[in-house]
Amino acid sequence: MIDTHCHISIEDYDDIDLVIKEALESGISKIIISGCTKESIVESLKISSNYSCIYVTIGYHPSEADLITTDDLLLLEKQIQSFPVVGIGEIGLDYHYGKENINKQKNLFRKQLELAEKYHLPVVIHSRDATEDTISILKEFPNVKGDIHCFSGSKETAKIYISMGYMIGIGGVVTFKNSNLYKVVEEIGIHSILLETDAPYLTPSPYRGTINSSKYIPLIAEKIADILNISIQEVSDITTENATRLFDLK
Ligand code: NI
């Protein structure tokens, strides 16, 4: 199984070796980590170069929109050229805390989609309370494909993204008792799903309240198998194929 999206940082984990060892022991073959601030990009590139099972996507998160300069975008492009990154992200729009810097967010999002197009890389999309604008900006880049990470919208929205060539990232939220995400899983089926933890956040049930890590991917796979009434092996095989194809993992 592949954890297609998480964050690994020494700030969150005392022992990164142990985090990776535990993930491998629980049946995870590959982990895609995301660096999404200037600092975490540097750290993520370093971590991924130290472990053959770790792949990396880089890109500035929408919450960084006020901080990122033209020079920072040039630095990102240089990093894309210099390291074997498998995608750009997480990038997108986040209106949860307000819309004051909406134009800066949109500008940063478009600039990074241009890089994805230029370097033929998939994108990992963060969209929070911003579905309409996310869809309309992605439509400006019909050649770019990617992952709608930590999807939490309606089944109708999921179908729109899929029709645009995107995969849907399903994480720990699907295991929460009050979550309606099962309706999305039922509707879209296993061929459009990527497994992800978004660790260290969003720990699946029954470990909510503790720090998340890639070792919990099987809990998410188990829940999806349950919803779709298929075997865990099938969830594992098909989501691994989905991720391998989208991110061109070797
Ligand atoms: Ni994330």
Side-chain angles (χ1 to χ4, degrees):
M1 281 181 263
I2 299 177
D3 185 353
T4 59
H5 181 89
C6 66
H7 308 272
I8 294 183
S9 155
I10 195 70
E11 225 175 90
D12 297 307
Y13 302 105
D14 300 330
D15 188 346
I16 291 175
D17 278 335
L18 180 67
V19 169
I20 292 165
K21 183 170 166 271
E22 286 178 344
L24 294 173
E25 282 170 0
S26 68
I28 311 309
S29 57
K30 296 183 172 91
I31 300 170
I32 304 177
I33 63 173
S34 167
C36 51
T37 62
K38 278 197 276 180
E39 298 73 25
S40 69
I41 286 173
V42 172
E43 188 181 11
S44 300
L45 289 171
K46 190 162 174 248
I47 291 170
S48 70
S49 72
N50 288 339
Y51 299 90
S52 60
C53 63
I54 305 269
Y55 296 76
V56 64
T57 68
I58 60 174
Y60 300 122
H61 193 280
S63 63
E64 302 294 294
D66 286 333
L67 306 170
I68 299 303
T69 62
T70 312
D71 279 351
D72 296 329
L73 281 163
L74 286 172
L75 172 63
L76 180 68
E77 181 161 9
K78 210 164 241 162
Q79 288 162 327
I80 291 167
Q81 292 166 344
S82 315
F83 296 92
V85 303
V86 298
I88 297 185
E90 55 192 284
I91 61 173
L93 301 171
D94 192 326
Y95 299 163
H96 188 69
Y97 302 102
K99 290 185 170 185
E100 293 76 33
N101 65 353
I102 188 168
N103 287 327
K104 279 185 180 166
Q105 286 198 34
K106 286 182 176 178
N107 184 48
L108 179 62
F109 189 23
R110 285 195 177 98
K111 286 268 180 294
Q112 296 182 99
L113 284 162
E114 284 167 14
L115 289 174
E117 191 161 47
K118 181 172 174 184
Y119 293 96
H120 307 288
L121 286 167
V123 288
V124 177
I125 301 298
H126 171 104
S127 175
R128 194 174 185 197
D129 300 340
T131 301
E132 215 175 296
D133 285 356
T134 302
I135 290 175
S136 84
I137 291 179
L138 290 179
K139 280 188 172 162
E140 296 168 17
F141 298 86
N143 298 324
V144 176
K145 301 291 171 264
D147 162 27
I148 309 299
H149 133 68
C150 202
F151 183 80
S152 62
S154 68
K155 57 185 184 182
E156 291 76 18
T157 303
K159 283 178 82 173
I160 293 171
Y161 284 126
I162 291 167
S163 73
M164 292 163 60
Y166 283 79
M167 309 283 298
I168 304 296
I170 300 286
V173 174
V174 78
T175 68
F176 298 174
K177 251 200 185 116
N178 56 357
S179 161
N180 280 324
L181 208 51
Y182 72 91
K183 291 182 187 163
V184 171
V185 171
E186 271 173 359
E187 178 73 24
I188 66 178
I190 196 66
H191 291 279
S192 295
I193 290 177
L194 299 172
L195 301 177
E196 66 163 276
T197 59
D198 202 20
Y201 318 106
L202 295 171
T203 313
S205 212
Y207 299 107
R208 287 181 84 173
T210 67
I211 190 164
N212 198 3
S213 91
S214 298
K215 70 179 173 188
Y216 293 137
I217 278 283
L219 296 171
I220 298 162
E222 202 177 313
K223 183 69 188 183
I224 292 171
D226 200 41
I227 294 166
L228 292 175
N229 201 18
I230 57 179
S231 67
I232 296 177
Q233 190 60 49
E234 208 170 336
V235 171
S236 164
D237 290 347
I238 297 172
T239 56
T240 296
E241 269 174 40
N242 294 346
T244 304
R245 195 173 55 244
L246 178 63
F247 294 103
D248 196 21
L249 304 177
K250 310 289 182 212

